[in-house]
């Protein structure tokens, strides 16, 4: 039996002890946990941050890899977890068995993405600015072998730092501090569109938390935040198609059925694919949104808010102990948020401040509020000062 099958069975067994925790609207077909892959930030180039699954309560945790105060979530493929922090990238199994590790000459500065068809892992990296270093300091995408960890290429995509990257049809879309760049699978630059650095240090966030700003990519457009706007670029040429003002936009753009959602420190804005504003909310969020399959939008703005896709109005909200730059993750029946601890909330409970909204709370670990959780391989993965942490639905024997 494969490891994936074992994890799926283990999750099912654990969930049977948690009455009501894996069913939404009496749908008994809801999976207890997503047992598949998570190949990039947002779980795909739309940055939707969702999986088709339920959400049983974790019963145990394991530190899989240490890190130099990590800022980026992992990616997962075929039950192998790839984790980048500081100057090191590690491939590790959910049971803690390390597959390989690789030291880098540059520093990790964004969420990785992987392409199993080409056996490639792409990691945003940068050269740390020093008094005798290059000025401006270059920003890269470092390419490693997925199976062995060997460094294959280093592609420069701008200056200062690489905020994030997305893969679509094998092509690489990277947002650095100075540009959005499209690279072919072999690294050939297809186009480069200059952009302004995002505003982080001016708001006392710390530039080191700018690790989850992957371009949102569709066949029709590439969506990225500029300093005070969300911008749509032509995927073939990189030409700007439209620009909509969003006050202090510094999180990833997120695609929904009607267009794109852009959060910002001063407001959250929904725009259709033609560049027309659907709605604006005076809702201040430092992290990107998550979008459910039915269109519900989830934003952390002090509290966790569920927004109506058509109007942007808050349907319900739930308290969080702190706010950061991490987007939530939405499943079939729950929303998962990290804010010091890890909390799951029911999506289908009525009332804007329903007392039974919270499904569970896991306080045994400190989960960084600037790195989104990942649901894959039958477990939840979070990062914090200890490094990469796996939350399992049952304790091992």
């Amino acid at each position: 039996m494969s490891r994936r099958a074992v994890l799926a069975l283990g999750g099912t067994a654990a969930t049977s002890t948690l009455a009501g925790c894996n069913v939404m609207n009496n749908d008994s077909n809801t999976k207890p946990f997503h047992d598949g892959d998570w190949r990039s930030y947002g779980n795909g180039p739309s940055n939707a941050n969702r999986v088709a699954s339920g959400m049983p309560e974790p019963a145990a945790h394991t530190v899989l890899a240490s890190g130099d105060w990590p800022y980026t979530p992992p990616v997962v493929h075929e039950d192998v977890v790839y984790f980048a922090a500081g100057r090191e990238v590690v491939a590790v199994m959910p049971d803690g068995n390390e597959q390989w590790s690789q030291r880098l000459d540059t520093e990790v500065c964004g969420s990785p993405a992987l392409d199993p068809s080409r056996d490639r892992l792409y990691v945003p990296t940068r050269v740390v600015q020093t008094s005798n270093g290059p000025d401006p300091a270059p920003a890269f995408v470092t390419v490693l072998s997925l199976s062995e960890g060997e460094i294959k290429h280093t592609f420069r995509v701008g200056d200062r730092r690489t905020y994030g990257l997305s893969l679509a049809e094998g092509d690489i879309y990277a947002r650095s501090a100075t540009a959005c760049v499209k690279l072919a699978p072999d690294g050939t630059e297809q186009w480069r569109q200059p952009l302004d650095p995002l505003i982080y240090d001016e708001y006392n966030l710390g530039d080191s938390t700018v690790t989850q700003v992957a371009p949102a990519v569709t066949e029709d457009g590439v969506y990225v935040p500029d300093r005070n706007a969300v911008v749509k670029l032509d995927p073939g040429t990189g030409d700007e198609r439209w620009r909509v003002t969003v006050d202090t936009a510094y999180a990833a753009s997120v695609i929904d059925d009607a267009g794109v959602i852009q959060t910002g420190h001063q407001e959250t804005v929904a725009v259709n694919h033609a560049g027309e504003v659907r709605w604006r909310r005076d809702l201040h969020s430092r992290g990107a949104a998550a979008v459910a399959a039915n269109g519900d939008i989830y934003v952390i703005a002090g509290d966790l808010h569920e927004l109506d896709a058509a109007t942007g109005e808050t349907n319900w909200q739930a308290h969080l102990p702190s706010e950061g730059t991490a987007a939530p993750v939405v499943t079939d029946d729950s929303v998962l948020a990290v804010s010091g601890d890890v909390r799951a909330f029911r999506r289908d409970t009525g009332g804007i401040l329903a007392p039974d909204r919270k499904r569970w709370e896991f306080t045994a670990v400190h989960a960084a509020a600037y790195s989104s959780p990942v649901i894959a391989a039958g477990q939840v993965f979070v990062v914090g000062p200890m490094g990469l942490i796996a939350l399992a639905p049952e304790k091992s024997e």
Side-chain angles (χ1 to χ4, degrees):
M1 183 178 291
S2 69
R3 177 176 296 275
R4 176 171 293 177
V6 171
L7 288 168
L9 288 174
T12 302
T15 305
S16 66
T17 66
L18 300 170
C21 286
N22 69 322
V23 178
M24 179 179 179
N25 298 328
N26 296 318
D27 180 6
S28 61
N29 294 320
T30 298
K31 293 181 180 180
F33 248 143
H34 176 58
D35 61 352
D37 297 337
W38 183 286
R39 295 182 178 177
S40 65
Y41 167 76
N43 199 27
S46 68
N47 293 341
N49 279 293
R50 71 170 178 255
V51 295
S53 69
M55 180 60 64
E57 182 175 357
H61 72 278
T62 304
V63 179
L64 299 183
S66 61
D68 183 17
W69 195 271
Y71 294 95
T72 64
V75 288
V76 183
H77 177 64
E78 293 292 344
D79 302 333
V80 179
V81 188
Y82 301 88
F83 175 58
R87 294 177 179 266
E88 187 172 24
V89 183
V90 178
V92 61
M93 304 295 289
D95 62 3
N97 182 25
E98 184 177 299
Q99 303 298 290
W100 54 257
S101 64
Q102 178 64 256
R103 293 290 299 175
L104 305 176
D105 293 331
T106 51
E107 182 179 83
V108 174
C109 60
S111 301
L114 58 86
D115 185 347
S117 67
R118 294 179 172 82
D119 188 43
R120 292 293 182 263
L121 178 68
Y122 301 90
V123 181
T125 56
R126 65 169 181 165
V127 171
V128 178
Q129 186 69 58
T130 61
S131 59
N132 59 352
D135 188 16
F140 301 109
V141 172
T142 299
V143 187
L144 293 82
S145 163
L146 194 64
S147 56
E148 305 295 334
E150 177 186 0
I151 297 176
K152 295 294 187 180
H153 306 285
T154 301
F155 305 133
R156 184 167 182 174
V157 292
D159 301 329
R160 293 179 52 174
R161 65 185 302 120
T162 306
Y163 297 143
L165 60 89
S166 293
L167 300 178
E169 301 298 325
D171 293 320
I172 307 155
Y173 300 83
R175 171 55 158 117
S176 70
T178 54
C180 184
V181 179
K182 178 183 179 181
L183 305 175
D186 64 359
T188 303
E189 186 171 310
Q190 305 296 294
W191 50 256
R192 179 180 296 249
Q193 179 61 245
L195 295 169
D196 288 330
L198 302 179
I199 305 172
Y200 274 78
D201 285 335
E202 294 176 29
Y203 286 84
N204 298 317
L205 288 174
D207 197 46
S208 57
T209 64
V210 197
T211 63
Q212 301 180 163
V213 193
V217 183
T218 69
E219 292 182 356
D220 181 58
V222 179
Y223 301 85
V224 289
D226 205 351
R227 178 168 287 240
N228 281 297
V230 57
V231 181
K232 181 178 182 178
L233 306 178
D234 186 286
T237 65
D239 294 338
E240 186 175 309
R241 288 188 174 178
W242 51 251
R243 169 183 295 261
V244 173
T245 300
V246 181
D247 196 347
T248 323
Y250 51 38
S253 308
V254 178
I255 303 297
D256 69 352
D257 290 341
V260 61
I261 308 297
Q262 182 63 59
T263 53
H265 187 56
Q266 299 300 322
E267 60 181 344
T268 297
V269 182
V271 185
N272 68 20
H273 292 294
E276 300 166 336
V277 175
R278 294 148 50 194
W279 48 260
R280 289 181 182 269
R281 276 289 309 276
D282 184 21
L283 192 67
H284 306 184
S285 179
R286 301 189 291 179
V291 177
N294 70 345
D296 292 336
I297 298 165
Y298 296 89
V299 174
I300 295 176
D303 291 339
L304 173 66
H305 294 250
E306 181 191 85
L307 307 183
D308 183 273
T311 66
E313 293 302 310
T314 297
N315 293 328
W316 59 257
Q317 65 189 77
H319 175 68
L320 296 174
S322 63
E323 180 186 8
T325 58
V329 173
V330 61
T331 75
D332 290 342
D333 58 5
S334 304
V335 187
L336 186 67
V338 294
S339 55
D341 55 21
V342 187
R343 301 185 180 202
F345 299 91
R346 296 178 176 85
R347 293 178 53 205
D348 61 345
T349 302
I352 191 168
L353 293 172
D356 59 345
R357 175 71 60 192
K358 186 163 62 176
R359 185 180 295 280
W360 52 258
E361 177 181 340
F362 194 78
T363 61
V365 300
H366 176 79
Y370 43 73
S371 182
S372 292
V374 166
I375 304 175
Q379 301 190 40
V380 169
F381 302 95
V382 297
V383 303
M386 292 188 295
L388 172 65
I389 304 165
L391 310 183
E394 63 178 359
K395 294 182 179 180
S396 58
E397 295 296 331

